[in-house]
Amino acid sequence: MLKDKHILLGITGGIAAYKSADLVSKLKKSGAKVDVVMTKAATEFVSPLTFQTMSQSKVHFDLFGLESYMEVEHIALAQRPDIILIAPATANTIGKIANGIADNMLTTVVMASNVSILFAPAMNTNMYLNPITQKNIKALKELGHQFMNTGEGRLACGDVGAGKMAEPAEIITYLEDYFTEKDLKGKKIVVTAGPTIEEIDPVRFITNHSSGKMGYSIASIAAKRGAEVVLISGPVDLDPPSNVKIVNIKSTEEMMEAVREHFENCDVLIKAAAPSDFKPLNYSDKKIKKRENESKSMSIELTKNPDIAAYFGKIKEHRIMVGFAAETNNIEEYAGLKMKEKNLDFIVANDITQDGAGFKGDTNIATIYDASGQIESLPLMSKDDLSSFILDKVKLILENRS
Ligand code: PMT
């Protein structure tokens, strides 16, 4: 989502400047082009060399350096970005920009640019709450500029309160949201993710390798594209995406009930979860003891769980349903059968024997089979890119129906 976006990162003089190194690294990883401009005070906290190395380009800070002056560097810098991000933004720099002062490279670039500015303030609580700072923030917001909320906690000065700079991950999420077209606005999408667990006794359970990454990625990108998203999640170790209603469940039956609750009002159901097909016929409410089992083997009788996709496929009416198939062999045959049995619009098959596909990792390799007989074999790609591809396909079906 930030691929090829040009971001000018202004770093001003606060201790939170050390966090900006992580910010640059995250921006570069997400494919953004980054120019760094530091104030003189910022260079007292972190060396420009750090940012030069991480951004792989020259760091700008000297307005009157001979080289900068000859190139009219501040004008060149002002014309490139899609957004100016100032992180950390001190009360001093916020005040200067709000009052039209351009006395260093950063504030001069800001004056010469007409793009929106995203400020990530970082300062002592009293400075942040000072009516002068608040007046400056209000004035800049009225001009269309944006502010990250500050976090609360123990600040570097020892005070406890508001004024902590937003975490780099939060800033990245904000930027991704800002640059994403809201083309799924007005659509209600239910996504299932992760494994389910079926308890044998209070200690043991049956589950599978699903980490939830595929489903969480779809939910997060759908929300960024403006959809109203309900994410029904089995037990996973992931942070819930922002702007998504999360419903935590454990068993396949609980997942079924959660889907039932949200199915009526949804436009799209995407079943990226790996629900357990079977559960123990009898749950033992006491721990099953080894010593009470004399023989070398024991068996647990299993019974079938409901097939959620198949059940809702029968009553889906106008809704779009997307399924996944995790397969090890005969992929085309099994995926095709599942698509028909579950009445899906399309199914995303992943061959979990391939490196980089299926469970746990950040990438997947998928072949998409759709109800019209079309087959699309996709190369290795990030789960985020696959999510965007799936959502583009959903959008196309929605458009063709309206
Ligand atoms: O979570 P990750 O680590 O990122 O891994 C992603 C994934 C491999 C789990 C995902 O890409 C995937 O393939 N999910 C489906 C796995 C699966 O259980 O496939 P299946 O062939 O058993 O089921 C086919 C479809 O029916 C799936 O959409 C499944 O959600 C659905 N199903 C299955 C069983 C059941 N009782 N009810 C269902 O609705």
Side-chain angles (χ1 to χ4, degrees), residues 1-7 27-34 80-82 179:
M1 267 163 277
L2 296 182
K3 195 162 172 357
D4 295 331
K5 293 290 171 215
H6 211 129
I7 293 165
L27 286 168
K28 293 293 288 181
K29 265 194 202 133
S30 51
K33 296 180 179 150
V34 186
R80 278 203 288 264
D82 295 298
F179 283 115

Side-chain angles (χ1 to χ4, degrees), residues 214 350-366 378-383 386:
M214 191 67 245
N350 29 207
D351 174 355
I352 55 168
T353 64
Q354 279 186 281
D355 276 351
F359 298 116
K360 291 198 170 108
D362 292 324
T363 60
N364 210 344
I365 307 169
L378 304 174
L380 175 84
M381 57 174 71
S382 68
K383 284 187 175 166
L386 178 57

Side-chain angles (χ1 to χ4, degrees), residues 1 216-226 384-385 387-388 391:
M1 267 163 277
Y216 273 56
S217 162
I218 296 169
S220 161
I221 292 174
K224 284 187 183 126
R225 288 171 66 163
D384 284 351
D385 284 346
S387 300
S388 300
L391 291 167

Side-chain angles (χ1 to χ4, degrees), residues 210-212 214 271 273 277 306 309 324 338 342 350 360 383:
S210 173
S211 64
M214 191 67 245
K271 294 230 69 261
D277 286 319
F324 273 73
K338 283 176 188 173
K342 297 171 196 246
N350 29 207
K360 291 198 170 108
K383 284 187 175 166

Side-chain angles (χ1 to χ4, degrees), residues 7 15 201:
I7 293 165
I15 184 62
D201 68 13

Side-chain angles (χ1 to χ4, degrees), residues 37-74:
V37 180
M38 298 176 78
T39 62
K40 174 110 185 28
T43 65
E44 303 287 338
F45 286 92
V46 186
S47 153
L49 191 59
T50 306
F51 296 106
Q52 195 143 304
T53 312
M54 304 200 81
S55 67
Q56 290 150 5
S57 65
K58 183 184 164 197
V59 168
H60 311 265
F61 53 91
D62 186 1
L63 181 61
F64 297 107
L66 199 53
E67 200 187 316
S68 334
Y69 200 70
M70 297 295 280
E71 284 176 11
V72 202
E73 200 172 7
H74 59 285

Side-chain angles (χ1 to χ4, degrees), residues 315-360:
I315 54 167
K316 72 175 200 179
E317 296 172 349
H318 61 280
R319 296 171 192 86
I320 294 169
M321 273 181 60
V322 180
F324 273 73
E327 303 294 350
T328 53
N329 55 302
N330 297 349
I331 302 189
E332 183 163 357
E333 182 192 340
Y334 292 143
L337 278 174
K338 283 176 188 173
M339 186 171 56
K340 284 202 189 83
E341 283 163 6
K342 297 171 196 246
N343 194 20
L344 304 170
D345 290 82
F346 64 92
I347 191 157
V348 184
N350 29 207
D351 174 355
I352 55 168
T353 64
Q354 279 186 281
D355 276 351
F359 298 116
K360 291 198 170 108

